[in-house]
């Protein structure tokens, strides 16, 4: 009895924290937490705009190290590095163990994802052409929010074939890789080659230690932090360091090894990413005033209309059209479990931009708060529209599939009786 009393203050805390971590590994829970953070940000920004903006503008960090950033910058450049590290590990997992390890299977989502990045840019440019500042926002509608999209799929269409989720996941992984490449190449204002070279050397050292089977988080954590700092100092967006470190993490299990370093890292970091990193970023990025003026701007500003059209229309046309064209040309094969109507429904999910679209919007128009807020409103509206439309289509497909299975079962039972 005494033993129970001694551990009582601690045991429930550990137990519940583990249960919370397990819950946050589920796509639906992470999506709900992110959505809740967004709603709180919108409510706060519209109830007390000054206090919300004051919070976002709060600056801390050592100025001597050029790290005196405000909270929004810390979320973009610091916290999101963890999100992109997990994304980098997922990309490598897909290349080693997943759909991307088989070129024949990988061709469909890869080609669909590439088209799903190119077509939204064309749609955006067609709508926004000639508008002031339009050339800076072309990359905003290229990204799909993997967490939000998978959460909507899990909630609305959990009964759909696993091949549909695999297609969406692989598309989103390739999409993330494309988005981080765009950030690295097109959103670098200045370049400190010395800092970038030193950061790349540390990332290579991280990879070498992984290859040599060196163990211990306290060896890798200082290397990762210093690599992040040097990439941040170089002028390249610091989240690139997260993806690079994720790609360097070993994903193959050694003989007798229960979990690879990649499995251990994602097991520990996914709850942190889903439960803290992405919600904090969403909270600090999504707070915009939804007054009559801002809403009218959304419908009159062709840059914002281009973002909305690029996400809602361009993403669907790109992903679905790219998949259809790849199959028609014989470059890929559609799974026997899936129908083109399933592909149309899941392609609509690609229009959920959110996390990465908000990040790119902030990078593109960071010096223009009015345009940044307008683009943020457009991303939120497009993501909501894509979520609702996809949910309706996916639920319809679930019902149609269930009805078809019932009809098949009924015909078989009649055949058995006859």
């Amino acid at each position: 009895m005494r033993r129970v009393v001694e551990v009582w203050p601690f045991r429930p805390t550990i137990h519940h924290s583990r249960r919370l971590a397990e819950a946050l590994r589920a796509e639906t829970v992470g999506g709900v937490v992110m959505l809740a953070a967004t709603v709180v940000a919108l409510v706060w920004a519209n109830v007390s705009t000054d206090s919300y903006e004051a919070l976002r503008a709060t600056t801390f960090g050592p100025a001597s190290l050029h790290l005196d950033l405000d909270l929004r910058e810390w979320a973009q450049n610091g916290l999101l590095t963890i999100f992109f590290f997990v994304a980098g590990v997922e990309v490598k997992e897909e290349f080693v163990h997943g759909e991307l390890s088989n070129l024949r299977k990988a061709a469909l989502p890869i080609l669909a994802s590439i088209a799903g990045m190119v077509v939204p840019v064309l749609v955006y440019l067609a709508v926004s052409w000639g508008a002031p500042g339009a050339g800076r926002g072309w990359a905003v509608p290229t990204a799909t929010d993997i967490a939000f999209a998978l959460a909507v799929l899990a909630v609305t269409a959990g009964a759909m074939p696993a091949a549909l989720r695999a297609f969406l996941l692989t598309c989103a992984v390739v999409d993330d890789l494309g988005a981080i490449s765009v950030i690295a190449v097109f959103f670098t204002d200045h370049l400190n080659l010395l800092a970038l070279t030193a950061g790349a050397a540390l990332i290579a050292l991280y990879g070498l230690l992984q290859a040599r089977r060196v163990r211990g988080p306290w060896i890798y954590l200082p290397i990762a932090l210093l690599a992040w700092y040097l990439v941040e100092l170089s002028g390249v967006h610091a989240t690139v360091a997260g993806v690079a470190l994720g790609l360097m993490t070993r994903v193959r299990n050694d003989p007798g090894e229960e979990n690879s370093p990649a499995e251990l890292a994602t097991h520990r970091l996914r709850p942190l990413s889903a439960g803290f990193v992405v919600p904090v970023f969403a909270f600090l990025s999504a707070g915009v005033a939804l007054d009559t003026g801002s809403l009218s701007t959304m419908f009159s500003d062709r840059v914002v209309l281009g973002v909305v059209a690029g996400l809602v229309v361009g993403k669907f046309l790109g992903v679905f059209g790219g998949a259809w064209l790849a199959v028609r040309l014989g470059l890929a094969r559609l799974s026997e479990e899936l129908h083109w109507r399933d592909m149309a429904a899941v392609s609509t999910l690609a229009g959920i931009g959110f996390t990465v679209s908000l990040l790119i919007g902030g990078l593109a128009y960071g010096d223009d708060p009015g345009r940044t807020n307008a683009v943020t409103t457009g991303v939120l509206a497009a993501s909501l529209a894509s979520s609702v439309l996809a949910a309706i289509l996916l639920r319809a497909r679930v019902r149609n599939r269930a009805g078809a299975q019932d009809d098949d079962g009924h015909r078989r039972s009649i055949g058995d009786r006859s």
Side-chain angles (χ1 to χ4, degrees), residues 4 8 65 68 73 87 97 182 221 278 289 313 342 370 384 392 395:
V4 174
W8 176 82
L65 297 177
D68 48 336
E73 290 172 326
H97 301 301
V182 167
L221 188 59
V278 175
V313 179
D342 302 328
L384 177 61
I392 293 171
R395 290 306 300 166

Side-chain angles (χ1 to χ4, degrees), residues 5 7 77 143 169-170 271 368 417:
V5 172
V7 299
N77 298 17
L169 176 61
T170 308
D368 185 349
R417 288 196 298 271

